[in-house]
Amino acid sequence: MRRLAVLLPVTVLLLGYPAPAASQDSPPQMFYLVQEFVKPSKIAEYEANTKAFLKDLAMTPGAKETIQFSAVSGPEVGYIYVVPVDGWAGLGKAFGDWDAASRAMGQQKWAEHMARSTGLSDHSATSVMMMRPDLSYRAETAALTADRRYRHYDWWYIMPGHEQDIEAIAKEYIALYRAKNIQRGWRIYQSVVSPDLPMYLVVQTGTDEASYYAEDARIRQMLGSEGERLQQKAMQFTRRVESNYSWIRPDLSFPMAEQQVGSR
């Protein structure tokens, strides 16, 4: 939790990073991510400290009106806090909101919360991602909802210079899924600030792990040889793919996970 407050200013310094083209009518929907890997023996203490911080944050004047983030956790991804921002300018606003909240809470109390969390995490990472609705399929099925809290992630690390190739394949997948009338969709996020670019994150959801993989097997059968062809085509431009999962954590979100990025 400390990294949301401590590292947000660092990302604001990266506002000059190039970003994919977005609509001229509105800023792209972007997300600032903080990922914390907590020491196994400290997980219970970490969650207790985080909830204590959220309780004080909820009582902080103006915080509920200006601050929001969703939390997920999983055995491989650790704890991920997702702050929605409207374009690059939104990062600066988010920093200002967090700074104002720290002053409203009282900087001593704020610092105490941060200090208690410092020794509980093994390491942390931050990144900025951009929602790519043009590469997503039935994005509403991958929303943060109370009945589908399981989230499956495929992190696609692409060969530099082949972003357009992989995006074209994503659009071929959309056409194939539509032709097969497949109901489960996905969201694609493009990482625009992280240590290992280019990278695209594919997010799908399910009620639990078993039901997700049962549905996944059924979809693979429906896609058949066409799906296998697209998979092999995508691998030609890929450095590696990492797959893992998480669960939505409303109890570690502010103010409520269902009110956050899932509807965007």
Side-chain angles (χ1 to χ4, degrees):
M1 175 54 60
R2 63 189 176 89
R3 307 294 285 191
L4 277 171
V6 175
L7 291 186
L8 189 54
V10 176
T11 303
V12 174
L13 298 177
L14 301 175
L15 292 177
Y17 265 55
S23 170
Q24 296 180 355
D25 298 329
S26 61
Q29 180 61 64
M30 298 171 62
F31 303 91
Y32 176 76
L33 276 66
V34 177
Q35 190 171 13
E36 290 202 315
F37 296 90
V38 179
K39 299 172 183 177
S41 62
K42 301 295 184 180
I43 287 177
E45 184 179 356
Y46 172 85
E47 292 198 3
N49 283 340
T50 299
K51 291 174 183 178
F53 172 75
L54 295 180
K55 182 177 180 180
D56 282 343
L57 187 61
M59 295 186 292
T60 299
K64 288 183 178 179
E65 292 74 30
T66 59
I67 293 186
Q68 64 171 287
F69 56 86
S70 297
V72 300
S73 66
E76 294 183 20
V77 301
Y79 294 83
I80 302 178
Y81 301 92
V82 184
V83 182
V85 295
D86 293 324
W88 293 101
L91 287 169
K93 180 183 183 303
F95 170 46
D97 290 341
W98 276 92
D99 183 60
S102 69
R103 287 184 276 107
M105 180 184 293
Q107 293 186 335
Q108 181 176 351
K109 179 182 288 187
W110 185 279
E112 289 173 354
H113 279 299
M114 300 304 111
R116 280 195 293 269
S117 295
T118 298
L120 303 178
S121 296
D122 178 73
H123 64 285
S124 303
T126 61
S127 61
V128 178
M129 291 190 177
M130 178 182 293
M131 173 67 175
R132 293 295 304 270
D134 57 321
L135 305 181
S136 302
Y137 172 72
R138 292 181 56 84
E140 70 279 2
T141 66
L144 293 177
T145 58
D147 61 327
R148 297 178 67 85
R149 289 185 172 174
Y150 175 84
R151 298 175 72 77
H152 180 87
Y153 303 129
D154 290 309
W155 311 76
W156 287 76
Y157 295 86
I158 308 305
M159 297 176 185
H162 289 284
E163 293 89 338
Q164 291 185 354
D165 295 308
I166 209 71
E167 290 183 12
I169 294 171
K171 293 176 181 179
E172 289 188 64
Y173 265 110
I174 292 174
L176 179 58
Y177 268 60
R178 284 177 177 162
K180 301 290 185 179
N181 194 29
I182 296 174
Q183 297 303 302
R184 188 179 74 184
W186 69 80
R187 293 187 177 197
I188 289 186
Y189 300 86
Q190 182 176 4
S191 183
V192 291
V193 177
S194 75
D196 195 359
L197 297 176
M199 188 274 286
Y200 296 81
L201 171 61
V202 182
V203 179
Q204 300 178 83
T205 68
T207 56
D208 54 45
E209 187 173 10
S211 63
Y212 169 82
Y213 280 106
E215 178 72 359
D216 192 61
R218 187 183 70 84
I219 290 174
R220 288 179 182 273
Q221 186 174 19
M222 292 178 65
L223 296 178
S225 60
E226 297 172 90
E228 293 179 4
R229 179 188 63 82
L230 284 180
Q231 180 80 357
Q232 292 303 315
K233 186 176 180 181
M235 288 300 179
Q236 296 177 13
F237 307 111
T238 302
R239 292 178 287 140
R240 71 181 187 276
V241 181
E242 297 177 358
S243 298
N244 43 48
Y245 68 91
S246 73
W247 293 89
I248 299 172
R249 296 294 304 271
D251 56 327
L252 301 181
S253 303
F254 188 86
M256 291 278 295
E258 286 77 5
Q259 299 172 1
Q260 308 303 327
V261 300
S263 61
R264 294 175 176 242

